[in-house]
Amino acid sequence: MLTLETLHIDLDGFTLDADFSVETGRRVAVLGPSGAGKSTLLAAIAGFQPVSGRVLWDETDLTPLPPAQRPVTMIFQDNNLFPHLTAAQNVGLGLRPDLRLSRDDKARVDEALTRVGLGGLGTRKPAALSGGQAARVALARAVLRHKPVMLLDEPFGALGPALRDEMLGLVRTLADEVGATLLMVSHEPEDAKAIAHEVVLVADGRAHAPVPTAEIFANPPAALRDYLGREG
Amino acid sequence: MARGLFSVTRTTGAGATALALVLFLALGTLVAVALRAEGAGAFTVADLAALRFTLVQATLSAALSIALAIPVGRALARRSFPGRGVLVMLLGAPFILPVIVAVFGLISVFGRSGLVSQALLALGLEPISIYGFHGVVLAHVFFNLPLATRLVLQGWLAIPAERFRLAASLGFTARDIARQLERPMLREVLPGAFLVIFLLCLTSFAVALALGGGPRATTIELAIYQAFRLDFDLGKAALLALVQFALGAAVALIALRVALPPGFGAGLDRAVSRWDANTPMLRALDAALITLATLFLVLPMTMIAVDGLPALATLPASVFTATARSLGVALASVILTLALALPIAAWSVKSGSRLVEGVGTLTIAASPLVIGTGLFIILFPITDPFALALPVTALVNAVMSLPFALRALVPALGQVEADFGRLADGLGMTGTARLRHLWLPRLARPLGFTAGLSAALSMGDLGVIALFASPDAPTLPLQIYRLLSAYRMDDAAGAALILLVTSLALFWVFDKGGRVNADA
């Protein structure tokens, strides 16, 4: 269970508070107007953002841990791949940050690439991959890292609708396989409906406790109605 | 941000060590100098003359460079013609041109038996001499007119194209444009450009060594050298070194208050469309200006090739051993530059402090002669400083390249960390893994550029080596200086050509090396 305990973030006058838990294995969409602090919330969980209060995984306090030691893997909006490394090397970083990969490690990298549908493309560099393929490489690495919490910060924002649905389906399958707890920032309500059990609404300086997806769209609170506009 | 939270202690340690070494060289040597200077006598008339000459030549050189750069820069800004790109690139060349090579080229054009004098003789006029005050100023203008032109050109191209279109639609004449657009820009650009050039002329030793001298054309740095090499009066050398440092520091302090122009402007390869300057008169004027500036720049370089090529076959072996020695110094200097610059840049980016970078840049005001004097005073009681001439030269050259290295590396590393820092943190890439798999590959370009620059600067350096060198182990620039002093002009020409080609080749190889296999 991921717990945010009286979490408070202060960024030069911009503040964000959160105080809730997410059950293990749940897929959660983080929705809200732009600039409300969705990405900041994920950064705090991942360890990139100094906070007061605590971030807990089960009984363990993550707050003092640097990002790499948290049971968390994150996929960013962009710059998920190092352009000077091949797809396989980019995935391999998930096993060993110094890239001293054993034969066994390399086999696991190939397997992960095949798993996301990129078998045989390991030697390509990111410049030779399409946007969707690059997103798959990032997913392969996340799977290989095998961390119980997966954070996705609008990772498919630059993809077209069809490709986006395809990637969401893949995320859903992979997260289920690993049994990961997933938090995904999006500004597309459709994304939430597609894969999320629950929705965390970030608005007015507060990340609200998760509400079941069907429920929140059936009866949207004021902040969500404003955000959804006509659609609400 | 989180960068400060989990700062890598090894980065801090390495950065602090490198910075401490730089501070020791820039300021620690100064303490040694100050302690040694106490026993020295008062200022002599000759010393005051040197101070006056230093200031006057630097002021005049900077003023002339700027005054000429304005029309040339304007001509380049508003004309596009074939070869313009090459010319703009050439304007960057004097920066990595060995001073002694340029001096040789200038002597071939403006010297007593040079092209200009021969033309004057043919017209029945007196030949001109390049030695002394006007020779020093001429050489400084040769080096700094291109720099000033680039800075001014940058200012012109920074004026948005829309302004010129607006001006054209409002019917502005060239005069209106000068008043409304160009003069405000020049008021911004010129003070910084003047200061940079003034500072460069203040600390330019080799030009004064080769073309100056005597009671009426001796700079402070030349006086340090003479106190050192001719009189072996360390107290006097130390006193003069203090004066030189005070001058440099004073100018650097003023410079802090004036916005200095960025070093290497990119994107100078386009001309501004102008509708006001299409009169035949202005076109002819610009064409003449560009031609004259090109001749001034290219003729001395051509003369080195013309004079040097026939001499290559008969060069004494000492020139080639000196070349090998210089190459060794240059490569050692490259390694030292990177070993100093990378940790300082990393610390600067990690701590987000401009101070670290600022201290690293302190050396731009420091004089290699002063550092050399200090090192000599420190080393003299311990060991034979002359035996250490080459390592000391490599080290001081590395420190002198540091400001340029930091200017190239710090913004680039900042960008790398902004783009990939979190990803690397999240994956636990620290220490050598981060260095090998993130920094070195992402910084290949600025690292190649830095290495090329420091190699070329060190290859052509004629500063500390002149203080320290023993007679039997000169570097190539020093060897050329000795050949020039002995009036062995043919050998000097051949050696100058070798030095020119080696310096440019070093820069090219390293800079190119950084671009190989670059992924978007």
Side-chain angles (χ1 to χ4, degrees):
Chain A
M1 187 167 68
L2 178 72
T3 306
L4 309 180
E5 192 180 271
T6 60
L7 201 66
H8 177 76
I9 300 163
D10 193 331
L11 262 176
D12 299 326
F14 166 85
T15 63
L16 184 70
D17 289 278
D19 191 20
F20 60 80
S21 294
V22 177
E23 293 294 330
T24 304
R26 304 296 269 179
R27 293 189 299 271
V28 178
V30 181
L31 294 180
S34 78
K38 305 186 291 289
S39 296
T40 310
L41 181 69
L42 257 56
I45 298 171
F48 296 117
Q49 177 63 54
V51 296
S52 61
R54 299 201 297 168
V55 179
L56 298 149
W57 175 247
D58 293 334
E59 301 305 312
T60 320
D61 182 7
L62 307 184
T63 325
L65 297 178
Q69 287 173 30
R70 299 190 177 202
V72 170
T73 189
M74 182 153 177
I75 298 184
F76 301 94
Q77 272 177 23
D78 41 33
N79 290 328
N80 280 300
L81 304 183
F82 295 106
H84 52 278
L85 300 180
T86 64
Q89 283 177 312
N90 266 294
V91 175
L93 284 172
L95 289 175
R96 292 203 55 145
D98 59 7
L99 279 181
R100 296 206 184 108
L101 301 175
S102 66
R103 186 183 296 243
D104 189 39
D105 290 336
K106 284 180 181 153
R108 289 177 62 196
V109 167
D110 286 342
E111 197 184 299
L113 280 169
T114 310
R115 181 67 197 82
V116 297
L118 292 181
L121 296 187
T123 55
R124 291 219 190 153
K125 290 199 174 176
L129 297 172
S130 70
Q133 286 171 330
R136 284 169 196 269
V137 175
L139 275 175
R141 182 170 61 213
V143 170
L144 208 53
R145 293 193 77 202
H146 210 88
K147 303 278 186 178
V149 179
M150 271 175 79
L151 304 176
L152 278 67
D153 188 359
E154 275 191 66
F156 312 127
L159 304 183
L163 198 50
R164 204 182 158 88
D165 284 346
E166 201 181 314
M167 295 309 296
L168 285 174
L170 185 59
V171 166
R172 183 182 176 142
T173 319
L174 294 174
D176 279 350
E177 275 177 21
V178 184
T181 308
L182 181 90
L183 269 79
M184 185 177 85
V185 168
S186 174
H187 52 226
E188 287 288 331
E190 293 310 314
D191 289 1
K193 289 175 188 163
I195 72 164
H197 301 116
E198 294 168 316
V199 169
V200 162
L201 177 64
V202 181
D204 308 320
R206 172 154 277 283
H208 297 269
V211 178
T213 309
E215 197 176 301
I216 201 167
F217 282 110
N219 188 12
L224 185 61
R225 269 205 307 276
D226 290 346
Y227 171 61
L228 294 176
R230 288 182 293 135
E231 292 168 72
Chain B
M1 297 296 282
R3 222 172 267 154
L5 265 188
F6 308 107
S7 60
V8 187
T9 43
R10 248 190 295 181
T11 306
T12 316
T17 311
L19 206 58
L21 182 62
V22 172
L23 277 180
F24 165 73
L25 285 173
L27 299 177
T29 51
L30 195 68
V31 174
V33 164
L35 290 176
R36 193 68 180 74
E38 264 185 310
F43 246 51
T44 64
V45 178
D47 299 336
L48 284 175
L51 176 60
R52 198 169 144 260
F53 178 76
T54 304
L55 291 173
V56 170
Q57 64 82 12
T59 310
L60 192 65
S61 301
L64 267 178
S65 300
I66 299 253
L68 294 172
I70 294 171
V72 177
R74 182 179 55 196
L76 277 173
R78 65 187 181 191
R79 306 289 169 203
S80 69
F81 51 91
R84 183 180 180 280
V86 177
L87 182 55
V88 170
M89 196 185 72
L90 267 180
L91 290 176
F95 193 76
I96 54 169
L97 192 65
V99 175
I100 196 72
V101 170
V103 164
F104 184 89
L106 288 170
I107 291 176
S108 320
V109 177
F110 297 100
R112 184 156 278 274
S113 51
L115 295 180
V116 175
S117 287
Q118 280 167 10
L120 288 176
L121 274 177
L123 294 173
L125 296 168
E126 282 287 295
I128 53 170
S129 163
I130 194 175
Y131 293 97
F133 178 79
H134 52 271
V136 171
V137 172
L138 178 77
H140 281 161
V141 172
F142 174 80
F143 273 103
N144 293 305
L145 173 60
L147 172 67
T149 305
R150 278 177 76 98
L151 293 174
V152 169
L153 178 59
Q154 226 165 302
W156 245 291
L157 296 184
I159 300 176
E162 293 80 13
R163 302 260 169 85
F164 286 109
R165 283 187 210 147
L166 179 64
S169 68
L170 294 175
F172 275 27
T173 62
R175 240 168 105 177
D176 298 326
I177 287 190
R179 192 167 49 232
Q180 303 299 343
L181 295 178
E182 297 174 337
R183 265 178 239 156
M185 178 279 292
L186 289 173
R187 266 199 296 277
E188 297 242 317
V189 170
L190 294 189
F194 181 89
L195 271 179
V196 166
I197 295 171
F198 185 81
L199 199 58
L200 288 172
C201 296
L202 210 57
T203 56
S204 113
F205 165 71
V207 165
L209 177 69
L211 296 176
R216 289 170 60 190
T218 296
T219 61
I220 303 250
E221 293 213 316
L222 189 54
I224 297 175
Y225 168 79
Q226 285 164 350
F228 214 102
R229 289 299 285 205
L230 306 184
D231 313 329
F232 204 73
D233 183 348
L234 278 183
K236 164 61 73 66
L239 183 69
L240 290 167
L242 279 184
V243 173
Q244 175 68 35
F245 182 84
L247 277 182
V251 178
L253 279 181
I254 301 171
L256 278 182
R257 299 176 167 275
V258 178
L260 287 184
F264 313 97
L268 298 179
D269 49 352
R270 66 194 172 86
V272 175
S273 298
R274 294 277 295 258
W275 292 267
D276 58 295
N278 269 335
T279 66
M281 253 266 287
L282 285 179
R283 292 172 71 97
L285 176 72
D286 284 353
L289 281 167
I290 290 170
T291 310
L292 279 177
T294 310
L295 279 179
F296 182 53
L297 203 64
V298 169
L299 217 47
M301 297 301 98
T302 316
M303 287 310 288
I304 293 164
V306 170
D307 291 345
L309 273 177
L312 281 182
T314 56
L315 275 182
S318 60
V319 168
F320 295 103
T321 49
T323 306
R325 217 172 274 130
S326 275
L327 272 173
V329 170
L331 294 178
S333 183
V334 167
I335 294 168
L336 287 169
T337 303
L338 296 183
L340 289 174
L342 206 53
I344 294 179
W347 192 24
S348 172
V349 168
K350 281 266 169 193
S351 65
S353 152
R354 307 271 310 151
L355 190 71
V356 181
E357 196 191 342
V359 175
T361 310
L362 173 83
T363 47
I364 207 166
S367 138
L369 265 269
V370 176
I371 296 178
T373 310
L375 277 178
F376 192 96
I377 291 167
I378 292 169
L379 290 174
F380 191 53
I382 313 169
T383 173
D384 173 18
F386 295 112
L388 291 175
L390 297 184
V392 164
T393 303
L395 181 62
V396 174
N397 286 346
V399 171
M400 299 320 287
S401 304
L402 204 56
F404 309 107
L406 288 176
R407 211 181 274 181
L409 287 177
V410 170
L413 186 57
Q415 191 58 49
V416 168
E417 280 293 313
D419 286 349
F420 299 109
R422 281 190 168 186
L423 178 58
D425 284 346
L427 294 168
M429 292 169 76
T430 55
T432 7
R434 202 179 188 103
L435 180 70
R436 275 195 52 206
H437 296 303
L438 179 57
W439 287 356
L440 292 185
R442 295 315 299 158
L443 292 177
R445 264 171 181 243
L447 281 174
F449 174 78
T450 299
L453 200 63
S454 75
L457 288 179
S458 179
M459 184 78 204
D461 170 72
L462 181 54
V464 187
I465 188 65
L467 280 189
F468 276 69
S470 53
D472 52 323
T475 57
L476 187 53
L478 190 59
Q479 180 71 16
I480 296 172
Y481 169 63
R482 288 180 181 168
L483 290 170
L484 275 177
S485 307
Y487 294 103
R488 286 168 60 186
M489 293 317 240
D490 286 347
D491 288 344
L497 182 59
I498 291 182
L499 179 56
L500 174 67
V501 172
T502 332
S503 297
L504 296 182
L506 276 176
F507 177 78
W508 187 82
V509 166
F510 277 113
D511 188 48
K512 200 79 179 169
R515 291 161 193 268
V516 169
N517 205 6
D519 308 291

